[in-house]
Amino acid sequence: MGVKLEFEGRDIISIKDFSREEIDYILKVAKGMESVAAKGSDMLKGKILATLFFEPSTRTRLSFEAAMHKLGGSTIGFAEAEIASVRKGENLADTVRTVESYVDVIALRHPLEGAARLAAEFAKIPILNGGSGAEEHPTQDLLDLYTIMKERGKLNGLKIAFVGDLRYGRTVHSLAYALSLYNIELYLVSPESLKMRREVLQTIKERIPVSETTNLEKIIPLVDVLYVTRIQKERFPDPAEYIKVKGSYKIDMKTLSNAKKDLIILHPLPRVDEIAAEVDNTPYARYFQQVWNGIVVRMALLALILGATK
Ligand code: CP
């Protein structure tokens, strides 16, 4: 008999807090949400989600809100710190202890690493980390896994490359931890100054084969999944360092001339110039399908955390 999986009332702060069995179960529930998303549901009727976003977002905030609406719940929140009482000096702990009186669950994005964990320590209701500085973005990595499963039919046995900013890009940190629970090979392609954070590398290297390189051309013919990321200009302490690596990699049809026919390209978005528009209408491009998958995965998470899947 399998171990009983418990999600009700849990925070989602780091993907490291979840086992492979739990991740597989979330992906299974997300698959079941495809048909629910198409017709709508009242599974979360009467429940309220607060989206507290202290940093810009299009996909994470709006897909959390859309997911809640599709399940019959409602949402409140703010999309910029300037209009909240933090502007008057209120701290994060007081903000979450206030908002928890109004809602059942909080999705939080904050520029500081550790902010989501701190919020969870103070809140009595679940906190869903919608991005904590350059640290982690666990709900994004679940939708990334879901997209790979859906588009390639499996995770095990794949060769996957991350390209771009592996130091400041939070999605690649969460995704690396999650993928290291599966039987995959990982290629890390970045400029020297933007290599994968050491603590992530140490953990994943104990579990899966990992190769680091600056040479994108060399790895393109080898891989099944190319996960491209934006260079996170806003997180560089020194603008001169950003100028040195700006535009390091650009995926265009020339770059892809030696790619496997069934390669898929993912990107958490937003993109700047790292994938040329000419790639968008090829079978390689799956980044807009990835956006849709954000809805069903976040529907699954909200339903599980709020105990609506029993
Ligand atoms: N992928 C992602 O986090 O996008 P947003 O910044 O638009 O939420």
Side-chain angles (χ1 to χ4, degrees):
M1 211 164 78
V3 180
K4 191 166 181 292
L5 303 178
E6 282 295 345
F7 291 95
E8 187 172 356
R10 276 180 76 171
D11 302 304
I12 302 182
I13 305 301
S14 166
I15 200 65
K16 287 181 284 181
D17 300 335
F18 290 82
S19 67
R20 158 113 180 235
E21 196 182 13
E22 287 172 330
I23 292 172
D24 285 341
Y25 187 70
I26 293 167
L27 302 184
K28 190 172 142 199
V29 175
K31 191 169 178 206
M33 287 294 176
E34 296 270 0
S35 59
V36 181
K39 54 181 193 291
S41 157
D42 60 2
M43 224 183 236
L44 293 182
K45 191 163 186 281
K47 301 285 185 192
I48 306 176
L49 162 75
T51 52
L52 310 186
F53 276 56
F54 294 85
E55 264 194 346
S57 168
T58 298
R59 282 143 289 268
T60 310
R61 185 174 66 83
L62 294 181
S63 65
F64 260 124
E65 294 188 1
M68 195 65 182
H69 288 295
K70 281 178 178 291
L71 291 171
S74 49
T75 63
I76 60 172
F78 54 79
E80 48 178 327
E82 284 300 296
I83 61 160
S85 284
V86 284
R87 182 84 172 79
K88 299 181 224 164
E90 184 165 64
N91 64 35
L92 184 60
D94 286 357
T95 302
V96 298
R97 282 182 295 192
T98 299
V99 174
E100 72 181 0
S101 295
Y102 311 141
V103 304
D104 303 283
V105 56
I106 294 173
L108 175 77
R109 171 170 288 187
H110 201 282
L112 292 181
E113 297 188 11
R117 186 75 69 193
L118 178 95
E121 280 168 18
F122 283 92
K124 291 189 213 66
I125 62 171
I127 300 290
L128 309 178
N129 180 5
S132 46
E135 183 186 33
E136 276 217 51
H137 194 346
T139 68
Q140 174 71 42
D141 99 63
L142 290 165
L143 80 88
D144 296 336
L145 290 182
Y146 183 78
T147 305
I148 298 171
M149 281 289 284
K150 193 167 151 183
E151 299 294 332
R152 298 298 311 233
K154 62 178 185 179
L155 286 165
N156 288 327
L158 294 177
K159 293 183 195 308
I160 299 175
F162 293 173
V163 181
D165 185 349
L166 310 186
R167 180 181 172 87
Y168 298 116
R170 54 192 167 204
T171 68
V172 285
H173 301 150
S174 295
L175 188 55
Y177 285 128
L179 285 171
S180 72
L181 300 175
Y182 296 84
N183 179 21
I184 65 121
E185 276 180 55
L186 191 58
Y187 298 81
L188 303 175
V189 186
S190 70
E192 279 296 331
S193 63
L194 298 179
K195 284 168 85 171
M196 179 62 86
R197 285 161 76 133
R198 191 180 301 174
E199 72 268 20
V200 180
L201 207 51
Q202 273 170 353
T203 305
I204 64 174
K205 273 188 162 174
E206 286 169 11
R207 300 177 182 159
I208 54 168
V210 180
S211 322
E212 292 185 279
T213 179
T214 55
N215 189 336
L216 175 62
E217 214 173 296
K218 203 173 69 184
I219 65 97
I220 288 270
L222 307 178
V223 297
D224 306 298
V225 180
L226 201 57
Y227 187 92
V228 185
T229 63
R230 173 178 70 91
I231 295 189
Q232 311 269 311
K233 181 181 178 185
E234 68 278 18
R235 303 208 191 280
F236 280 68
D238 178 356
E241 289 304 309
Y242 170 71
I243 299 296
K244 285 186 200 160
V245 290
K246 181 176 182 284
S248 293
Y249 300 105
K250 180 155 186 164
I251 311 295
D252 55 20
M253 294 315 290
K254 187 162 170 273
T255 328
L256 295 170
S257 58
N258 291 327
K260 289 184 182 178
K261 289 272 174 293
D262 55 358
L263 170 76
I264 61 167
I265 301 176
L266 305 186
H267 192 308
L269 303 177
R271 79 172 139 178
V272 181
D273 56 4
E274 55 279 359
I275 302 179
E278 65 183 5
V279 180
D280 293 357
N281 293 322
T282 69
Y284 299 125
R286 305 296 165 98
Y287 25 94
F288 291 109
Q289 287 91 326
Q290 208 176 340
V291 171
W292 162 258
N293 295 335
I295 299 264
V296 292
V297 167
R298 291 187 172 111
M299 285 172 73
L301 292 173
L302 288 166
L304 285 165
I305 298 305
L306 294 173
T309 54
K310 286 177 180 158

